[in-house]
Amino acid sequence: MTAQLIDGKAIAMKVREDIAAEVARRVIAGKPKPFLATVLVGHRPDSAAYVASKGKACQELGMGSISEHLPADATQEQVEALVSRLNADQNVNGILVQLPLPAHLDEERVLSLINIEKDVDGFSPINIGRLAQKGRKPLFVPCTPYGCLYLLEQVGVNIEGANAVVLGRSNIVGMPAALLLIGRNATVTVCHSRTRDLANVCRQADILIAAIGRTEMVRGDWIKPGAAVIDVGINSVPDATKKSGHRLVGDVCFDEAREVAGWITPVPGGVGPMTIAMLMKNTLHAAQIQDR
Ligand code: NAP
């Protein structure tokens, strides 16, 4: 069997086109452009690249953005003062604090400070708490898990009643992905570094979401025939044939898994493009709920 490829790039493009059209309608109606503020603390090249790509996406979709940059030795007070200023700025609809913050900063306190109506990453305790509670809705769903669920729904994977296995329990991917799946009536198992016999747990999965950051750890014989496999992992491996000297691979061994799975996302071109598309969706949503 050869799996059906889930083309995250094409699906993300369609999401972006719809957002751009809605933004244009808002502007014609005399409403302000949705506006995103990103906060980068320090000089991690990967974080700087993510922040730059978010600003570029805003521009491409007709939204406004500003990138706030603090030095790596910024104090807790400085970061909190910046977030408070952005909270109070009526022109700013969404605030995204790029993670991870330098180790000396209290991430939880910073994220807690973001006005819930501007929490476009969905990481504030109130949004996550609502995601975890039955009958409650968060204002914003964290972008990467939101993208994973969106991909499954777009290709018509049946989530209700399915056995879903989530590899990884991080605050930004694994845990919210599990909560979203529970909310869609899947039966969910969450695995982590202490899980015993991971391969066997994965073999029960109708839906497998891998978010562990371990190069191609999930092998073809871990996959239930016909399963939907969403590979969130982004791992860089040396590749002398590439100009950059490296290439990106997922947490799933794609060549093996595609022979067994029913659906599979590639890396790159699967979940990655969805994360930014969902951030743009959340930023538009923030502007809509702040329309007074
Ligand atoms: P993280 O915070 O490092 O969490 C990794 C999780 O995987 C933890 O829960 C950890 O278990 C678990 N884990 C690690 N090694 C394991 C092993 N050998 N067996 C079983 N579980 C293991 O990572 P993250 O931020 O969630 O990111 C995960 C991956 O997704 C990374 O490759 C990251 O680059 C990628 N990512 C991609 C996107 C995108 O847009 N495509 C967005 C975010 C992240 P413990 O909890 O027990 O430590």
Side-chain angles (χ1 to χ4, degrees):
M1 176 173 189
T2 305
Q4 187 184 317
L5 204 65
I6 303 177
D7 187 345
K9 211 170 158 184
I11 294 172
M13 192 61 77
K14 175 75 177 74
V15 172
R16 291 169 63 129
E17 281 167 13
D18 291 349
I19 295 167
E22 187 53 39
V23 170
R25 273 195 291 276
R26 278 180 66 83
V27 172
I28 289 168
K31 291 178 181 167
K33 293 174 174 183
F35 196 98
L36 175 70
T38 57
V39 174
L40 174 65
V41 185
H43 304 284
R44 279 178 65 123
D46 55 346
S47 293
Y50 290 139
V51 162
S53 61
K54 288 162 188 173
K56 185 164 165 266
C58 284
Q59 196 181 14
E60 287 166 356
L61 272 53
M63 300 192 193
S65 72
I66 186 168
S67 174
E68 299 281 0
H69 192 182
L70 292 175
D73 60 358
T75 63
Q76 183 76 23
E77 290 67 31
Q78 284 173 313
V79 180
E80 290 186 12
L82 174 55
V83 171
S84 298
R85 177 164 69 71
L86 296 171
N87 275 340
D89 186 338
Q90 295 211 348
N91 296 318
V92 171
N93 300 119
I95 302 171
L96 180 146
V97 175
Q98 186 66 42
L99 301 178
L101 289 171
H104 68 281
L105 296 171
D106 183 337
E107 177 187 299
E108 189 183 348
R109 264 178 54 193
V110 173
L111 296 181
S112 303
L113 202 62
I114 298 173
N115 179 336
I116 184 179
E117 289 198 349
K118 298 189 177 189
D119 177 31
V120 288
D121 243 347
F123 293 152
S124 85
I126 297 175
N127 268 321
I128 293 290
R130 287 191 182 171
L131 191 62
Q133 287 179 322
K134 199 172 175 197
R136 307 274 158 80
K137 272 198 164 175
L139 284 176
F140 302 100
V141 174
C143 304
T144 301
Y146 192 6
C148 294
L149 270 283
Y150 194 89
L151 290 177
L152 289 169
E153 283 166 349
Q154 283 298 301
V155 299
V157 172
N158 190 15
I159 301 176
E160 177 149 333
N163 276 337
V165 172
V166 179
L167 297 184
R169 57 176 166 181
S170 72
N171 291 338
I172 63 169
V173 190
M175 193 58 80
L179 294 172
L180 280 171
L181 287 162
I182 292 170
R184 302 287 203 289
N185 296 321
T187 302
V188 181
T189 306
V190 182
C191 300
H192 45 77
S193 63
R194 320 289 209 289
T195 300
R196 290 197 202 109
D197 199 1
L198 207 52
N200 218 14
V201 179
C202 291
R203 279 185 205 112
Q204 317 303 317
D206 303 309
I207 296 170
L208 181 64
I209 297 186
I212 46 178
R214 296 277 177 266
T215 302
E216 297 182 330
M217 193 171 116
V218 178
R219 312 305 304 198
D221 65 357
W222 294 27
I223 312 271
K224 180 176 177 177
V229 178
I230 305 290
D231 191 352
V232 184
I234 303 176
N235 309 291
S236 178
V237 295
D239 185 340
T241 68
K242 301 282 178 199
K243 212 169 129 192
S244 62
H246 66 87
R247 72 190 156 92
L248 297 180
V249 298
D251 290 341
V252 177
C253 178
F254 182 82
D255 289 340
E256 292 178 11
R258 73 180 311 180
E259 299 302 323
V260 192
W263 294 268
I264 190 166
T265 56
V267 177
V271 175
M274 291 305 295
T275 296
I276 291 191
M278 296 334 242
L279 173 66
M280 297 297 107
K281 206 173 164 66
N282 281 349
T283 305
L284 170 60
H285 181 54
Q288 288 166 334
I289 59 180
Q290 289 163 44
D291 281 341
R292 306 269 189 244

